[in-house]
Amino acid sequence: AIQLTQSPSSLAASVGDRVTITCRASQGFSFALAWYQQKPGKPPKVLIYDVSTLATGVPSRFSGGGSGADFTLTISGLQPDDFATYYCQHYKNYPYSFGQGTKLEIK
Amino acid sequence: QVQLVESGGGVVQPGRSLRLSCEASGFTFKDYAVHWVRQAPGKGLEWVAVISGDGTYKYAADSATGRFTISRDDSKNTVYLQVTRLTSEDTAVYYCARDRGSYSSFADYWGQGTLVTVSS
């Protein structure tokens, strides 16, 4: 089974900052990775799929990249609405899995 | 608009079984796979199971093998998750989520979740 490890587990940043979250897989693969944003008490919302494709309605300050076993989510110009927890998820093969999450907090 | 509404959660005693439902609307149900994902209180997301749009393909995560059964009834636009031999570790919010297509990949729409609490 593919395991995903996110870093950092938590991150404090300021409005306007550029932040990058990393998702490292236990084995390399291509294409089949998504990023979700979750706010307290709410379901996750997909931001990025297929590594780098922006989901409908997601602001362009979000971007995804990477290949092999290392993937990134970058937020360029943090907005107050972006403070949340972020998860990567692979859908390369079964069982699918999520990273443990990265909590983005206001500095 | 796409909507998914989970039901069937509540307080259940250890060792008992539970069936969760996910009723969908706003899209052609048979054309989409559906996932179940759970989240224990204060913890991260855990992928549980998926069923393909035509119902022919199903998969449950290793931790759930044998205790979790996913099914769908296209006449009712509903996906079910049967959970048996419940333990306290099954306490979580259970989300259903629509896949982007008929065979599974990522989830593009999510329900609000239903809380299952396993307690005596």
Side-chain angles (χ1 to χ4, degrees):
Chain A
I2 297 174
Q3 310 291 331
L4 299 177
T5 303
Q6 290 181 228
S7 61
S9 294
S10 64
L11 173 62
S14 301
V15 172
D17 284 355
R18 180 176 186 268
V19 299
T20 296
I21 300 168
T22 298
C23 178
R24 175 161 288 174
S26 57
Q27 61 188 81
F29 60 90
S30 60
F31 186 70
L33 189 104
W35 289 94
Y36 298 88
Q37 176 193 68
Q38 187 180 33
K39 296 182 179 179
K42 298 294 186 182
K45 169 189 172 184
V46 65
L47 300 174
I48 301 283
Y49 61 91
D50 298 347
V51 176
S52 60
T53 302
L54 202 64
T56 301
V58 174
S60 58
R61 64 180 178 272
F62 292 91
S63 62
S67 62
D70 293 306
F71 303 92
T72 57
L73 172 70
T74 298
I75 312 171
S76 301
L78 275 171
Q79 298 299 303
D81 191 50
D82 300 338
F83 292 95
T85 301
Y86 294 85
Y87 296 92
C88 57
Q89 182 212 359
H90 86 84
Y91 42 97
K92 176 61 178 176
N93 50 32
Y94 295 125
Y96 295 175
S97 63
F98 291 88
Q100 83 279 15
T102 296
K103 187 174 184 179
L104 178 56
E105 299 175 300
I106 300 174
K107 186 185 289 184
Chain B
Q1 70 281 20
V2 174
Q3 282 196 308
L4 299 142
V5 179
E6 303 92 338
S7 61
V11 180
V12 60
Q13 292 180 328
R16 304 296 290 268
S17 298
L18 192 68
R19 189 178 79 161
L20 304 177
S21 301
C22 169
E23 184 172 359
S25 60
F27 61 98
T28 304
F29 185 67
K30 66 178 178 61
D31 288 346
Y32 291 88
V34 175
H35 303 259
W36 285 95
V37 174
R38 69 181 181 178
Q39 187 168 36
K43 303 297 184 182
L45 302 171
E46 180 184 9
W47 183 83
V48 173
V50 66
I51 186 166
S52 62
D54 61 9
T56 59
Y57 198 85
K58 310 172 186 181
Y59 194 94
D62 287 349
S63 64
T65 301
R67 293 197 304 119
F68 285 56
T69 303
I70 190 169
S71 61
R72 64 190 294 153
D73 183 344
D74 288 357
S75 70
K76 296 180 179 179
N77 278 14
T78 300
V79 171
Y80 304 99
L81 182 71
Q82 178 87 21
V83 188
T84 62
R85 305 192 305 278
L86 285 155
T87 73
S88 59
E89 294 188 351
D90 295 315
T91 293
V93 174
Y94 286 74
Y95 295 103
C96 70
R98 191 193 81 166
D99 195 272
R100 67 166 158 178
S102 182
Y103 286 88
S104 76
S105 61
F106 71 93
D108 59 359
Y109 288 92
W110 295 65
Q112 292 299 309
T114 187
L115 176 62
V116 173
T117 302
V118 182
S119 174
S120 55

